[in-house]
Amino acid sequence: MADLESETASQKGKLDPADVIFGEATPKQREIISAMGGNPQPPLTPEEYLISQKKLSRRGTKVYEDIRYFCLFHKNETEMIISACEVHPRQAVVSDTTSGASPEILKTINAYAIASVYTPPQFRGQGMASLMLQRLQELLDQGGGYEVGVLYSAIGGGFYGRLGWEAFDRRELVISLDLGQPAKDGIVGIKDDDDAVHLISETEMPPLCERDCQHLSSKLEILAKAQNPHEPSHTGRYVSLLPTYDQIAFHMLRDTYMAEVLYTCRGLPKPEMYHGAITCDEKSWLYWDHGLPSPAYNVKLRILRVVTDPGDEAGKMVRDVELLLKAAVGEAMRSGLEKVVVWEPDEVTVQAAMGVWDKEKDTADGRGQGNLKSILTNVVVEDRKDDDWSLPCLRWKGDDGGKQGRRTVWVDNEAFGWC
């Protein structure tokens, strides 16, 4: 591996675009990128992080095999990585009613997600990350077969906005817990609701994801048909990443192996991992991960996706999600996590969370309905404007960040899209 702090590097002084080459990383460059750009944080040490990445890369699954790595490197030293990133393939569904759009009201398109953008400290402040992303965007626009890209910025929206990315504010539903209270036996619904929900098995996931993608496509089609083509403010593009099995499996594999490395490296027994819960009629479910190793999420159970059946009446949806959120609280308590977090909660999920709060905290006359009443400390919906962690950003092929007047609505912008 090139010594990025070497005398050779320091002698070069300020870099010029003519000094660097952009391209897809070679196997050796990928190894260097993994070592320098993972930016591991507690609870994983750098060594544990690298072990986890090697385990994931050897899984032989499509979701990890298809990740591509790109970088800028010095023209005279191919192992001197100036800036690097990952590109993850995605699928999205879009309905477009803008002028000149395809006559198809709904179509599935290829998408990508950019992740792990990293420039070593000694090369920062010289526009190298911008240069790399500009060249990457040109490449993906011209020959990648992609229509739209997403990324989740850890530095706000300004930097990526200058490169044509449109930032989207998001809301978070946060359920706070008191870890000082003893966890009850039984993960699902803290034992009270075992007959109503159960934990999701891996074999259940593929058909659930297929159903979810069908429901989401129908949702966008309905939204598009409801627009008024004669009213410009009511026309635009509705888009959503598809919660495919590959996409959900990406999170579950990562979650499992991060935890395995964390516990194995420290000589601790590996806990049994659960990744979601489903109602027993199989009409509502949610997925979660445990946020390893991100410092912003290592005390949070992050809900990746909440699904309800669009054919159910609203009251049943709310009751179902109440049960599922109670199961999530149980998993958070078992895992020692202080919060349960939902990105972009819909009205059903907000009502369900407030319902859990109201029922469990109604103890004035001893009528609290469950074992959570001493565990929950707060339920709140927060606006995350220009967030400094995981701010969703989107860019259309050849677009300049929404400045062409084509309004974009990102539907179901939930945490399953993150990478």
Side-chain angles (χ1 to χ4, degrees):
M1 174 179 174
D3 180 1
L4 295 177
E5 300 287 357
S6 68
E7 182 179 274
T8 303
S10 63
Q11 285 176 341
K12 294 185 182 299
K14 184 174 176 61
L15 290 168
D16 186 272
D19 295 329
V20 299
I21 296 173
F22 168 78
E24 190 158 5
T26 66
K28 179 61 177 177
Q29 288 172 332
R30 285 183 58 167
E31 182 179 331
I32 296 169
I33 291 167
S34 294
M36 77 174 189
N39 196 25
Q41 299 282 351
L44 294 183
T45 67
E47 293 76 17
E48 290 167 351
Y49 178 85
L50 287 176
I51 292 171
S52 70
Q53 295 302 97
K54 289 179 180 179
K55 279 180 171 287
L56 288 170
S57 66
R58 290 198 298 265
R59 284 293 292 170
T61 55
K62 179 177 174 59
V63 68
Y64 280 93
E65 288 175 349
D66 287 349
I67 298 174
R68 301 171 69 185
Y69 296 78
F70 293 88
C71 63
L72 281 183
F73 58 92
H74 198 279
K75 64 181 181 182
N76 296 327
E77 296 183 49
T78 60
E79 295 183 11
M80 183 185 294
I81 306 300
I82 309 301
S83 192
C85 68
E86 301 172 3
V87 174
H88 298 236
R90 293 283 188 269
Q91 283 188 296
V93 61
V94 59
S95 59
D96 194 341
T97 60
T98 56
S99 176
S102 166
E104 300 176 77
I105 195 167
L106 185 77
K107 61 179 180 178
T108 300
I109 59 176
N110 291 327
Y112 63 89
I114 294 177
S116 300
V117 178
Y118 184 79
T119 302
Q122 64 270 30
F123 300 128
R124 294 176 187 170
Q126 302 185 55
M128 292 295 109
S130 295
L131 178 61
M132 177 191 67
L133 290 170
Q134 287 169 352
R135 294 186 179 177
L136 176 62
Q137 290 169 192
E138 291 170 2
L139 175 69
L140 297 177
D141 282 358
Q142 293 170 5
Y146 303 108
E147 296 295 323
V148 68
V150 301
L151 59 82
Y152 297 84
S153 172
I155 56 174
F159 171 76
Y160 292 104
R162 292 189 290 273
L163 295 169
W165 294 82
E166 180 181 1
F168 288 75
D169 295 335
R170 64 179 175 86
R171 298 192 305 163
E172 277 189 357
L173 169 67
V174 181
I175 303 174
S176 299
L177 315 176
D178 180 0
L179 294 184
Q181 296 296 325
K184 304 291 182 180
D185 291 334
I187 303 305
V188 178
I190 317 294
K191 203 151 183 128
D192 287 349
D193 304 302
D194 288 353
D195 292 337
V197 294
H198 67 265
L199 299 169
I200 293 177
S201 68
E202 188 171 349
T203 57
E204 289 178 284
M205 286 173 51
L208 291 178
C209 292
E210 184 176 354
R211 283 170 53 196
D212 189 13
C213 290
Q214 291 171 351
H215 289 330
L216 187 53
S217 295
S218 297
K219 180 177 182 177
L220 263 73
E221 185 171 14
I222 291 170
L223 288 170
K225 287 180 177 178
Q227 294 188 99
N228 180 357
H230 304 295
E231 177 54 57
S233 64
H234 293 168
T235 62
R237 290 173 290 192
Y238 287 91
V239 65
S240 179
L241 296 176
L242 283 172
T244 62
Y245 172 68
D246 281 344
Q247 180 58 29
I248 300 300
F250 166 84
H251 290 282
M252 295 189 177
L253 280 171
R254 179 179 179 276
D255 200 28
T256 296
Y257 278 84
M258 290 292 189
E260 178 181 302
V261 169
L262 176 64
Y263 286 91
T264 300
C265 288
R266 300 181 185 187
L268 301 172
K270 178 188 172 186
E272 189 169 2
M273 295 291 288
Y274 303 104
H275 299 289
I278 185 170
T279 55
C280 287
D281 66 0
E282 299 185 347
K283 300 185 77 174
S284 299
W285 62 90
L286 53 74
Y287 307 114
W288 60 59
D289 74 12
H290 299 77
L292 296 170
S294 161
Y297 287 105
N298 63 20
V299 295
K300 300 177 184 179
L301 188 80
R302 180 174 56 173
I303 304 301
L304 300 173
R305 173 85 173 138
V306 179
V307 183
T308 54
D309 191 314
D312 282 344
E313 54 93 13
K316 181 181 182 301
M317 292 184 190
V318 172
R319 291 191 296 273
D320 282 356
V321 178
E322 281 187 19
L323 296 174
L324 295 171
L325 288 176
K326 289 175 69 176
V329 168
E331 175 67 5
M333 290 295 295
R334 185 185 74 91
S335 304
L337 303 174
E338 297 174 355
K339 297 178 180 179
V340 175
V341 175
V342 184
W343 286 16
E344 282 298 310
D346 62 11
E347 190 58 34
V348 166
T349 302
V350 173
Q351 286 186 33
M354 297 305 176
V356 170
W357 172 260
D358 291 341
K359 292 174 183 176
E360 299 297 337
K361 301 304 287 188
D362 182 17
T363 59
D365 56 4
R367 292 184 296 137
Q369 297 183 15
N371 295 321
L372 298 180
K373 58 188 177 185
S374 62
I375 295 172
L376 301 181
T377 61
N378 197 19
V379 176
V380 64
V381 177
E382 302 175 343
D383 289 322
R384 307 301 297 265
K385 294 184 180 296
D386 202 25
D387 200 355
D388 60 356
W389 182 263
S390 293
L391 177 70
C393 300
L394 181 147
R395 175 184 173 273
W396 293 98
K397 176 180 178 179
D399 207 345
D400 59 354
K403 296 175 183 176
Q404 296 176 3
R406 304 181 72 189
R407 174 175 169 266
T408 296
V409 179
W410 191 339
V411 178
D412 288 6
N413 182 13
E414 297 176 70
F416 72 87
W418 177 91
C419 58

